[in-house]
Amino acid sequence: MTARRGLVLGAGGVLGAAWTIGALSAVEDQLGWDPREAEVMIGTSAGSVLLAALSCGISVQELLDHQNGKADPRIDFDPDSDSGGALPPLPRPFVGSPRGLVNSALRPWKTTPLGALAAALPQGRGSIEPIGRLVDGVLPQGGWAPHPAAWVVAMDYETGRRVPFGRPGAPPAELRDAVMASCAIPGWYSPVRIGRHRYVDGGVCSPTSVDLVAKLRLDEVVVLSPMTSLSYDTPDSVAARIERRFRRLVTKRVVGEIKKVAGQGTKVTFLGPTAEDLAVIGANMMEPRRRTEVLETSLRTSAAALRGGLAASA
């Protein structure tokens, strides 16, 4: 009997996408499994972009070739420039979501601390349209991905609620809009309107949202999460040390989600950046100048973790 596998691709910006593609290549090689064959896929932020490609038939090798500079007319995106650069444009001068801030104060148990912070931040001015153009290239007919269960996680900017677009019962959306919403970092990019609601980066709710598969009772879930780590470097810069502290906090959340899934009898194979990866990543996950080195390092470290049985599993 063929194992029922799920694939979860987490948030992580430009460098997170590069790291994840390296990890996907390692998964394909070491597990002998095409990630496109996952029974269910969940993508958040940068992970949602890769989900869009995989769920529309783009192979891991084609993603790897694109990262290495090989032109592909279906992937209309320059990873070094289309994200807008390593720093955001100056945001608008007012609170991004006054309603979201009020909802967070009145019902704090229904939103994460990052969700409350996202509402309080000024609204970003950056354009996320290049991500929409990328999705248009892999899904020119529009609509949703042909994959039977491709879920893209965003956050409702007014309620702080996590919304897995594509999942039964979720609000209707085009794949391009859902992915753009999932990537709309608060304070950096403008929120994305879908129907009557505005949405921002799903990573504000969770770096992975792997807990969404808990009740599906899959045989295995492969989680690739560039924002979480189980080993750390010792950076010299203050910015990198702050990033590592934040990383430890979000890792704790993801570990909690993994325990929920494992508690239902599902094996969870988890990969995140190692200390060696972190030394290359530095402090800013949106810094494109480090992208190639991050990819090359991930290809090596991810393969080694899987080959040596060092990938965390539960």
Short mmCIF file of all heavy atoms in Angstrom, two decimals, residues 71-102:
data_model
loop_
_atom_site.label_atom_id
_atom_site.label_comp_id
_atom_site.label_asym_id
_atom_site.label_seq_id
_atom_site.Cartn_x
_atom_site.Cartn_y
_atom_site.Cartn_z
N ALA A 71 16.59 29.86 -17.36
CA ALA A 71 15.31 30.51 -17.71
C ALA A 71 14.22 29.47 -17.90
O ALA A 71 14.44 28.41 -18.49
CB ALA A 71 15.48 31.34 -18.97
N ASP A 72 13.04 29.78 -17.40
CA ASP A 72 11.86 28.93 -17.58
C ASP A 72 10.68 29.87 -17.82
O ASP A 72 10.31 30.64 -16.91
CB ASP A 72 11.62 28.06 -16.35
CG ASP A 72 10.52 27.02 -16.55
OD1 ASP A 72 9.56 27.31 -17.30
OD2 ASP A 72 10.62 25.94 -15.96
N PRO A 73 10.07 29.85 -18.99
CA PRO A 73 9.00 30.80 -19.29
C PRO A 73 7.79 30.67 -18.37
O PRO A 73 7.01 31.61 -18.22
CB PRO A 73 8.62 30.47 -20.74
CG PRO A 73 9.12 29.08 -20.97
CD PRO A 73 10.35 28.95 -20.13
N ARG A 74 7.65 29.53 -17.70
CA ARG A 74 6.52 29.35 -16.79
C ARG A 74 6.77 29.98 -15.43
O ARG A 74 5.81 30.24 -14.68
CB ARG A 74 6.23 27.85 -16.59
CG ARG A 74 5.80 27.12 -17.86
CD ARG A 74 5.85 25.63 -17.63
NE ARG A 74 7.21 25.21 -17.28
CZ ARG A 74 7.51 23.99 -16.82
NH1 ARG A 74 6.56 23.10 -16.63
NH2 ARG A 74 8.76 23.68 -16.54
N ILE A 75 8.03 30.21 -15.09
CA ILE A 75 8.36 30.79 -13.78
C ILE A 75 8.87 32.21 -14.00
O ILE A 75 10.07 32.46 -14.10
CB ILE A 75 9.41 29.94 -13.04
CG1 ILE A 75 8.98 28.47 -13.01
CG2 ILE A 75 9.60 30.45 -11.61
CD1 ILE A 75 10.00 27.53 -12.38
N ASP A 76 7.93 33.13 -14.09
CA ASP A 76 8.26 34.51 -14.42
C ASP A 76 8.54 35.28 -13.14
O ASP A 76 7.70 36.04 -12.63
CB ASP A 76 7.09 35.14 -15.20
CG ASP A 76 7.39 36.56 -15.64
OD1 ASP A 76 8.57 36.96 -15.57
OD2 ASP A 76 6.44 37.26 -16.05
N PHE A 77 9.75 35.07 -12.59
CA PHE A 77 10.08 35.70 -11.31
C PHE A 77 11.58 35.72 -11.15
O PHE A 77 12.25 34.69 -11.33
CB PHE A 77 9.45 34.91 -10.16
CG PHE A 77 9.57 35.57 -8.81
CD1 PHE A 77 8.69 36.56 -8.42
CD2 PHE A 77 10.57 35.17 -7.92
CE1 PHE A 77 8.80 37.18 -7.18
CE2 PHE A 77 10.68 35.77 -6.68
CZ PHE A 77 9.80 36.77 -6.31
N ASP A 78 12.12 36.89 -10.81
CA ASP A 78 13.54 37.02 -10.52
C ASP A 78 13.71 37.03 -9.01
O ASP A 78 13.35 38.01 -8.35
CB ASP A 78 14.09 38.31 -11.13
CG ASP A 78 15.60 38.45 -10.95
OD1 ASP A 78 16.15 37.85 -10.02
OD2 ASP A 78 16.22 39.19 -11.74
N PRO A 79 14.26 35.96 -8.41
CA PRO A 79 14.35 35.90 -6.95
C PRO A 79 15.28 36.94 -6.35
O PRO A 79 15.23 37.19 -5.14
CB PRO A 79 14.86 34.47 -6.69
CG PRO A 79 15.55 34.08 -7.96
CD PRO A 79 14.79 34.75 -9.06
N ASP A 80 16.10 37.57 -7.16
CA ASP A 80 17.04 38.57 -6.64
C ASP A 80 16.49 40.00 -6.68
O ASP A 80 17.04 40.88 -6.03
CB ASP A 80 18.34 38.52 -7.43
CG ASP A 80 19.12 37.24 -7.17
OD1 ASP A 80 18.99 36.68 -6.07
OD2 ASP A 80 19.84 36.79 -8.08
N SER A 81 15.42 40.23 -7.43
CA SER A 81 14.92 41.60 -7.54
C SER A 81 13.42 41.73 -7.34
O SER A 81 12.95 42.78 -6.88
CB SER A 81 15.29 42.20 -8.90
OG SER A 81 14.69 41.46 -9.95
N ASP A 82 12.65 40.71 -7.67
CA ASP A 82 11.19 40.86 -7.66
C ASP A 82 10.58 40.88 -6.26
O ASP A 82 9.39 41.20 -6.12
CB ASP A 82 10.53 39.76 -8.50
CG ASP A 82 10.63 40.04 -9.99
OD1 ASP A 82 10.93 41.19 -10.35
OD2 ASP A 82 10.42 39.11 -10.80
N SER A 83 11.36 40.53 -5.24
CA SER A 83 10.85 40.64 -3.87
C SER A 83 10.89 42.07 -3.38
O SER A 83 10.31 42.40 -2.33
CB SER A 83 11.65 39.75 -2.93
OG SER A 83 12.98 40.21 -2.85
N GLY A 84 11.61 42.95 -4.08
CA GLY A 84 11.67 44.35 -3.71
C GLY A 84 12.93 44.74 -2.95
O GLY A 84 13.09 45.90 -2.57
N GLY A 85 13.81 43.78 -2.70
CA GLY A 85 15.06 44.12 -2.03
C GLY A 85 15.09 43.68 -0.59
O GLY A 85 14.12 43.15 -0.03
N ALA A 86 16.23 43.93 0.07
CA ALA A 86 16.47 43.45 1.43
C ALA A 86 15.75 44.26 2.49
O ALA A 86 15.61 43.80 3.63
CB ALA A 86 17.97 43.43 1.72
N LEU A 87 15.30 45.47 2.15
CA LEU A 87 14.61 46.32 3.12
C LEU A 87 13.28 46.81 2.55
O LEU A 87 13.16 47.02 1.34
CB LEU A 87 15.49 47.53 3.48
CG LEU A 87 16.81 47.20 4.19
CD1 LEU A 87 17.65 48.46 4.34
CD2 LEU A 87 16.56 46.56 5.54
N PRO A 88 12.29 47.00 3.41
CA PRO A 88 10.97 47.43 2.92
C PRO A 88 10.95 48.91 2.59
O PRO A 88 11.76 49.69 3.10
CB PRO A 88 10.06 47.13 4.11
CG PRO A 88 10.93 47.30 5.30
CD PRO A 88 12.30 46.80 4.87
N PRO A 89 10.01 49.32 1.73
CA PRO A 89 9.81 50.76 1.52
C PRO A 89 9.20 51.38 2.77
O PRO A 89 8.66 50.67 3.63
CB PRO A 89 8.84 50.81 0.33
CG PRO A 89 8.11 49.50 0.39
CD PRO A 89 9.08 48.50 0.92
N LEU A 90 9.29 52.69 2.87
CA LEU A 90 8.72 53.40 4.03
C LEU A 90 7.22 53.12 4.09
O LEU A 90 6.50 53.35 3.12
CB LEU A 90 8.97 54.90 3.89
CG LEU A 90 8.65 55.75 5.13
CD1 LEU A 90 9.63 55.43 6.27
CD2 LEU A 90 8.72 57.23 4.77
N PRO A 91 6.70 52.62 5.23
CA PRO A 91 5.26 52.30 5.30
C PRO A 91 4.40 53.53 5.41
O PRO A 91 4.88 54.65 5.60
CB PRO A 91 5.18 51.45 6.56
CG PRO A 91 6.29 51.95 7.42
CD PRO A 91 7.40 52.30 6.47
N ARG A 92 3.10 53.32 5.30
CA ARG A 92 2.15 54.41 5.50
C ARG A 92 2.17 54.83 6.97
O ARG A 92 2.53 54.04 7.84
CB ARG A 92 0.75 53.97 5.07
CG ARG A 92 0.70 53.54 3.61
CD ARG A 92 -0.70 53.11 3.18
NE ARG A 92 -0.67 52.51 1.84
CZ ARG A 92 -0.63 53.19 0.71
NH1 ARG A 92 -0.63 54.51 0.75
NH2 ARG A 92 -0.60 52.57 -0.45
N PRO A 93 1.75 56.06 7.28
CA PRO A 93 1.97 56.59 8.63
C PRO A 93 0.96 56.16 9.69
O PRO A 93 1.06 56.60 10.83
CB PRO A 93 1.91 58.10 8.40
CG PRO A 93 1.01 58.26 7.23
CD PRO A 93 1.27 57.09 6.35
N PHE A 94 -0.02 55.31 9.36
CA PHE A 94 -1.06 54.99 10.33
C PHE A 94 -1.08 53.50 10.65
O PHE A 94 -0.48 52.68 9.94
CB PHE A 94 -2.42 55.43 9.79
CG PHE A 94 -2.48 56.88 9.40
CD1 PHE A 94 -2.55 57.24 8.07
CD2 PHE A 94 -2.41 57.88 10.36
CE1 PHE A 94 -2.58 58.57 7.68
CE2 PHE A 94 -2.44 59.22 9.99
CZ PHE A 94 -2.53 59.57 8.65
N VAL A 95 -1.78 53.15 11.71
CA VAL A 95 -1.97 51.75 12.11
C VAL A 95 -2.56 50.97 10.93
O VAL A 95 -3.50 51.43 10.28
CB VAL A 95 -2.90 51.66 13.33
CG1 VAL A 95 -3.33 50.23 13.59
CG2 VAL A 95 -2.20 52.23 14.56
N GLY A 96 -2.00 49.80 10.67
CA GLY A 96 -2.43 49.04 9.49
C GLY A 96 -3.85 48.53 9.56
O GLY A 96 -4.59 48.60 8.59
N SER A 97 -4.26 48.03 10.73
CA SER A 97 -5.60 47.47 10.88
C SER A 97 -6.18 47.85 12.23
O SER A 97 -6.06 47.10 13.20
CB SER A 97 -5.58 45.94 10.73
OG SER A 97 -6.87 45.40 10.94
N PRO A 98 -6.81 49.03 12.34
CA PRO A 98 -7.41 49.43 13.61
C PRO A 98 -8.41 48.40 14.14
O PRO A 98 -8.43 48.10 15.33
CB PRO A 98 -8.10 50.75 13.27
CG PRO A 98 -7.34 51.28 12.09
CD PRO A 98 -6.95 50.07 11.30
N ARG A 99 -9.20 47.82 13.23
CA ARG A 99 -10.18 46.82 13.66
C ARG A 99 -9.47 45.58 14.20
O ARG A 99 -9.89 44.99 15.19
CB ARG A 99 -11.09 46.47 12.50
CG ARG A 99 -12.19 45.48 12.86
CD ARG A 99 -13.06 45.15 11.67
NE ARG A 99 -13.89 43.99 11.92
CZ ARG A 99 -14.57 43.35 10.99
NH1 ARG A 99 -14.52 43.78 9.73
NH2 ARG A 99 -15.30 42.30 11.28
N GLY A 100 -8.41 45.19 13.52
CA GLY A 100 -7.66 44.03 13.98
C GLY A 100 -7.05 44.26 15.35
O GLY A 100 -6.99 43.36 16.19
N LEU A 101 -6.59 45.48 15.59
CA LEU A 101 -6.00 45.82 16.88
C LEU A 101 -7.06 45.76 17.97
O LEU A 101 -6.81 45.24 19.08
CB LEU A 101 -5.39 47.22 16.80
CG LEU A 101 -4.43 47.62 17.92
CD1 LEU A 101 -3.26 46.66 18.02
CD2 LEU A 101 -3.94 49.04 17.68
N VAL A 102 -8.25 46.27 17.69
CA VAL A 102 -9.34 46.21 18.67
C VAL A 102 -9.73 44.77 18.95
O VAL A 102 -9.92 44.36 20.11
CB VAL A 102 -10.56 47.02 18.16
CG1 VAL A 102 -11.77 46.76 19.05
CG2 VAL A 102 -10.25 48.50 18.13
#
